Amino acid sequence: MIQKVLVANRGEIAVRIIRACHQLGIQTVAVYSTADQASLHVQLADEAICIGEPSAIKSYLVKEQILSAALMTGADAIHPGFGFLSENAQFAKMCVECGLIFIGPDSSVIESMGDKANAKATMIQAGVPVVPGSDGVIADCEVAVKLATEIGYPVLVKAVSGGGGKGMRLAYNEEELRTGFVAARQEAQASYNDDRVYLEKFIENPRHIEVQIMADQHGNVVHLGERDCSVQRNNQKLIEEAPSQFIDEALRIELGQAAVQAAKQVGYVNAGTIEFLVDKYKKYYFIEMNTRIQVEHPVTEMITGIDIVQTQLRVAQGEKLTFSQADIMFKGHAIECRINAEDPTKNFMPNPGLVNGLHFPGGNGVRIDSGIYAGYKILPYYDSMIAKLIVHAATREQAIAKMQVALNELIVDGVETTVDFQYEVLSHPIFKQNKHDTGFVSQLLEE
Ligand code: ADP
């Protein structure tokens, strides 16, 4: 049984994990950079260890420091959260080598799914539809040009190690492909230290729909339904909801089965997400698998009543899932807005600084996951997401209304945030009528 968990993360997700541990009677160790000494996760954990300087490459990304902190404090497991080392196969492996439980899938699975070209090849074997494109890595621009002529423009050059929408270039013709190919490789090299890219058909006006799966060490794999994450800016999610009202019950079942099949194919254990694009003809295509907890997991928790982080901890200590597929029921509708300390009038430039005053909304079906408090100084070194506002109501319409009221009530005094922008998106007739796709926000910003 896990007695003590080291949380290898910061911000709201570290707080989220610490809470789940304490609810299960598990002790917690926080790690923090010198800049994070006053952060909430440090205050909530039972113990805290400083692991280095503010820059993540000198703290939250230093595997040895984190492992030393775990061993020194007698932790028996590490929860990586999302971002940082959460999808670093080598880190997962090192945890196990140090006699620690890594709360996530086996390192070999992280490695094979982290290579997006390889992940697609694996999905083809599992019989899951993938976006048409190259068979693996394309090293030569001429090969890319030839393939693009075959599959037809527009095409997307994507980084094999991609994440957060970086290393992606769209091309409508050969000229754009030639420049995009070089640019994508350079960006991929700079962002991931891996310049390998692959080619994919660009699916026009798709919805991003992903399926949450949960698997135990005894071969049980269950899906917890889908999330619709089609409100995006620069290929990054802003608003997520569950269930998706773009798909019907038949497609819901099919996507769920495809996700379970995909997880079984790779011997998946713990929480994971299979991401799909769904086009206007309701054809679906696998794009990638995330082998970790996701930012948007709360919307699934709201409609299923299952605590995903607690389930991660239980599965990691060898427990069987306490629910089967037949037990999973979806109740009502949930929406999440990501609140970022960014200035929408300045192209969403990060806006760190002192939070002078703070008021969080509340009430029935309103949830806030956050790592900030009044008097907290938002730091410039890390991701600009400062809170997630999640609402749950009987219908989508009611959830939108509840979110509008909650956003109106939310005050973060001292820094610019995306609260008003989120309100605008949420109140737009296209969103309200559920007629948006992944290009909606960029169209809105051009208006
Ligand atoms: P990352 O891991 O960098 O976030 P993903 O593969 O998950 O990249 O894609 C992120 C987003 O980029 C998707 O949700 C979608 O909006 C867009 N995207 C990715 N691949 C395609 C594609 N083939 N066609 C159209 N849009 C795409």
Side-chain angles (χ1 to χ4, degrees), residues 9 44 130 143 151 196 319 338 348 370:
N9 217 299
L44 294 184
V130 304
V143 179
I151 61 175
R196 292 176 302 148
E319 285 180 42
R338 299 188 186 197
F348 294 83
S370 174

Side-chain angles (χ1 to χ4, degrees), residues 294-326:
Q294 279 191 290
V295 175
E296 58 272 26
H297 77 274
V299 290
T300 300
E301 295 186 322
M302 300 299 252
I303 65 158
T304 59
I306 289 170
D307 188 307
I308 296 175
V309 179
Q310 281 192 12
T311 310
Q312 284 194 293
L313 292 159
R314 291 183 186 282
V315 159
Q317 62 185 10
E319 285 180 42
K320 279 189 180 163
L321 290 178
T322 54
F323 44 81
S324 67
Q325 196 62 60

